[in-house]
Amino acid sequence: EMLKELNQQRRAKEFTDLKIIVEGKEFEVHQNVLASCSLYFKDLIKRSPRDSSRSGEKLELAMSNLTADVLELLLEFVYTGSLIIDSANAKTLLEAASKFQFHTFCKVCVSFLEKQLTASNCLGILAMAEAMQCTELYNMAKAYALQIFPEVANQEEILNISKDDFISYMSNDSLNTKAEELVYETVIKWIKKDAAIRAQYAAELLAVVRLPFIHPSYLLNVVDNEELIKSSEACRDLVNEAKRYHMLPHARQEMQTPRTRPRLSAGVAEVIVLVGGRQIIGMNQRALTAVTCLNPQNNKWYPLASLPFYDREFFSVVSAGDNIYLSGGMESGVTLADVWCYMSLLDNWNLVSRMTVPRCRHNSLVYDGKIYTIGGVGVAGNVDHVERYDTITNQWETIAPLPKAVHSAAATVCGGKIYVFGGVNEAGRAAGVLQSYIPQTNSWSFIESPMIDNKYAPAVTLNGFIFILGGAYARATTIYDPEKGNIKAGPNMNHSRQFC
């Protein structure tokens, strides 16, 4: 009843104290009513100069950044709580409501637009919501557009959005497509819509396509023959990268780029695999045969085929391509040379080879598609022996030995070199040595440093730096910069750990 009475007073221009002039049309309203609904107008009214000698006159505001029709609808909603909204005026009303901070009005428009989302307008609504910082509508439109990509790809709207918006949309991991070929075709269509201007961005746009997931025959027969691709060296490099990915499955671990990461809809995921370990039962420990994996996309654990043996420990595990290789170890006091392979497509373990030297507590890593096994404990103590395994030919090759025989070291690859940090020397103490290997020259070098005192710790490479994590039930971390040759202490981990 109060709103109804106030609206009648507004229409009769009774007790109004604010005059808004838009496009030559005057709107008389009550300051308190308008200020209670709009933070913009509340602030504007408070800051407007007032002449005390003319206090009996209405405050006037001349506005040029909206239309009379839109203001009429806004005022109608303020005074009645009702609104005539349709697909023709919804965007305009939301823009005005957002600009003038009519928050309740915004919610009504957002609710309407969410119900109006279609394949032909969702990208436009997404861009508008982002520009207006309308989070609720933005999230809704984004999720909708990503989910129905095959339908959106057939609409004219996608060919008219800006380059930045197009790249942001097409590069999203959540883009729902069963075939990456459709992503490629949409990119080519977008470029050809205005080839004179857009062709210069061909490589930047092609980079959003996960080319390694395109079928090889399509890659060779369609992508290779596209003139836009043939005329750009950068585009050809991207296509060649995808070809190498298909031709060298054993070397895929070293080809990781944003393009080799599968989209969520592909039904393929990169996972973290835990192999074996120890379980503490009272005062005793026993070796585990369980193999499990964590999918970071949904934060869930899944069981994989268990290890095909019992009571084996101190083996080394490394991933190569889509498979996992487990080498050596000790079982019932016997040092082993076995190499087992977990085949992810079959979810089973198979004995595939044997090292030339039995060993345990050794390191293994992958470089240039080959598996290197380094040092460790052999039948008669520490070994300096190093060999590498070609998973394709199933052949082992002995290479230059370690300068210092160690076991339980931290090893990784960075910048084309193999690095082995610390470990335990033949006297059973921390080795305190950094050993590095250059595959091209088959040569090792080493330096000794008190900063390198790790044992039973892993090393990982990230962003050009090497991190050594824990070891000997320690929380400490060590950071090595291969480019500068600097080594320093890093922040402590939350928990002490070894053999992780």
Side-chain angles (χ1 to χ4, degrees):
E1 288 296 321
M2 183 181 294
L3 275 178
K4 183 177 180 181
E5 177 60 30
L6 286 170
N7 193 40
Q8 289 176 354
Q9 292 177 10
R10 175 178 72 97
R11 294 189 178 283
K13 300 182 180 180
E14 295 177 344
F15 309 113
T16 56
D17 51 5
L18 173 61
K19 183 186 293 184
I20 304 175
I21 304 171
V22 178
E23 295 181 332
K25 188 174 180 180
E26 296 180 353
F27 297 85
E28 293 196 17
V29 297
H30 305 93
Q31 292 184 27
N32 286 342
V33 174
L34 193 59
S36 67
C37 298
S38 164
L39 294 176
Y40 175 89
F41 278 105
K42 180 179 181 180
D43 185 59
L44 192 62
I45 293 168
K46 288 170 67 175
R47 290 188 291 106
S48 296
R50 298 169 183 257
D51 188 338
S52 58
S53 64
R54 302 173 58 197
S55 59
E57 297 183 14
K58 293 182 175 67
L59 174 64
E60 289 189 5
L61 296 176
M63 306 186 69
S64 59
N65 50 356
L66 81 164
T67 66
D69 290 342
V70 169
L71 181 58
E72 179 65 52
L73 288 171
L74 287 171
L75 294 176
E76 191 69 22
F77 180 76
V78 167
Y79 277 90
T80 67
S82 62
L83 174 66
I84 300 174
I85 186 170
D86 54 41
S87 56
N89 67 12
K91 288 185 180 179
T92 303
L93 289 174
L94 179 57
E95 288 172 355
S98 178
K99 181 187 299 182
F100 299 114
Q101 297 175 284
F102 286 90
H103 295 310
T104 303
F105 196 103
C106 281
K107 291 180 180 179
V108 174
C109 293
V110 166
S111 178
F112 177 84
L113 286 170
E114 287 175 352
K115 297 172 184 176
Q116 301 300 310
L117 285 169
T118 66
S120 62
N121 70 14
C122 58
L123 293 179
I125 292 176
L126 177 64
M128 178 191 69
E130 183 176 25
M132 294 190 302
Q133 297 182 326
C134 187
T135 304
E136 181 182 348
L137 181 60
Y138 174 82
N139 291 337
M140 180 69 74
K142 181 179 180 180
Y144 183 85
L146 291 170
Q147 180 60 34
I148 64 163
F149 168 68
E151 290 83 0
V152 173
N154 289 322
Q155 304 299 319
E156 187 71 16
E157 182 182 59
I158 194 172
L159 304 180
N160 297 319
I161 64 176
S162 71
K163 174 176 74 76
D164 290 343
D165 286 347
F166 184 79
I167 289 176
S168 175
Y169 176 58
M170 301 294 284
S171 62
N172 197 294
D173 285 349
S174 297
L175 193 73
N176 184 30
T177 178
K178 298 300 181 185
E180 197 67 23
E181 287 82 354
L182 179 58
V183 181
Y184 166 78
E185 290 166 3
T186 306
V187 166
I188 296 300
K189 279 166 52 179
W190 188 90
I191 295 173
K192 289 183 175 180
K193 174 72 175 180
D194 190 359
I197 294 176
R198 296 177 176 179
Q200 62 182 309
Y201 307 119
E204 185 181 358
L205 292 158
L206 189 65
V208 309
V209 183
R210 315 286 167 95
L211 288 172
F213 294 96
I214 283 180
H215 195 278
S217 63
Y218 188 96
L219 202 62
L220 293 172
N221 297 326
V222 179
V223 180
D224 247 357
N225 292 320
E226 171 56 53
E227 288 301 323
L228 284 169
I229 308 297
K230 292 163 68 176
S231 61
S232 166
E233 183 179 355
C235 286
R236 293 198 304 275
D237 287 343
L238 291 169
V239 175
N240 289 334
E241 174 190 76
K243 290 178 182 176
R244 288 194 298 273
Y245 189 86
H246 283 293
M247 294 170 62
L248 303 171
H250 61 284
R252 287 176 181 172
Q253 189 175 14
E254 299 164 33
M255 303 181 191
Q256 298 303 305
T257 71
R259 292 172 293 283
T260 61
R261 185 174 63 246
R263 299 187 194 271
L264 300 182
S265 59
V268 178
E270 291 181 326
V271 297
I272 299 168
V273 180
L274 293 185
V275 180
R278 287 179 175 180
Q279 183 181 30
I280 298 175
I281 304 176
M283 299 297 292
N284 300 314
Q285 297 184 16
R286 71 179 182 90
L288 294 173
T289 61
V291 180
T292 56
C293 72
L294 171 68
N295 184 346
Q297 295 174 358
N298 59 16
N299 199 34
K300 290 184 178 180
W301 288 92
Y302 299 92
L304 302 177
S306 297
L307 293 174
F309 39 72
Y310 297 92
D311 298 323
R312 185 174 300 189
E313 54 188 355
F314 306 133
F315 48 75
S316 183
V317 178
V318 68
S319 63
D322 294 328
N323 298 329
I324 295 172
Y325 290 83
L326 182 154
S327 60
M330 179 178 286
E331 188 172 328
S332 301
V334 178
T335 304
L336 303 168
D338 297 354
V339 178
W340 291 78
C341 176
Y342 171 79
M343 299 180 181
S344 60
L345 291 177
L346 301 176
D347 187 31
N348 65 18
W349 290 89
N350 292 286
L351 180 64
V352 293
S353 184
R354 286 186 170 84
M355 296 178 287
T356 58
V357 174
R359 66 186 81 207
C360 64
R361 298 182 183 268
H362 58 291
N363 293 101
S364 59
L365 49 81
V366 174
Y367 176 78
D368 195 26
K370 294 182 173 64
I371 298 174
Y372 286 69
T373 58
I374 303 168
V377 177
V379 176
N382 280 16
V383 295
D384 59 6
H385 188 268
V386 182
E387 54 188 322
R388 61 188 173 200
Y389 174 62
D390 189 321
T391 59
I392 296 178
T393 63
N394 197 32
Q395 297 294 316
W396 285 94
E397 175 189 6
T398 298
I399 60 175
L402 282 168
K404 304 288 184 181
V406 294
H407 71 77
S408 306
T412 188
V413 176
C414 185
K417 284 186 177 182
I418 292 173
Y419 293 88
V420 179
F421 294 84
V424 180
N425 62 21
E426 292 171 319
R429 294 189 292 269
V433 61
L434 165 57
Q435 308 181 74
S436 60
Y437 175 76
I438 302 175
Q440 289 75 16
T441 60
N442 188 31
S443 61
W444 287 90
S445 61
F446 71 94
I447 59 171
E448 295 180 336
S449 170
M451 288 290 292
I452 306 170
D453 61 352
N454 62 280
K455 51 186 176 181
Y456 317 127
V460 294
T461 299
L462 179 66
N463 298 330
F465 293 91
I466 296 173
F467 297 80
I468 304 167
L469 309 174
Y473 293 114
R475 297 172 55 208
T477 64
T478 304
I479 304 172
Y480 179 69
D481 182 348
E483 184 175 335
K484 297 179 179 178
N486 295 338
I487 190 164
K488 64 180 182 180
N492 285 343
M493 297 185 292
N494 292 329
H495 300 281
S496 301
R497 60 188 73 218
Q498 68 175 3
F499 298 119
C500 58

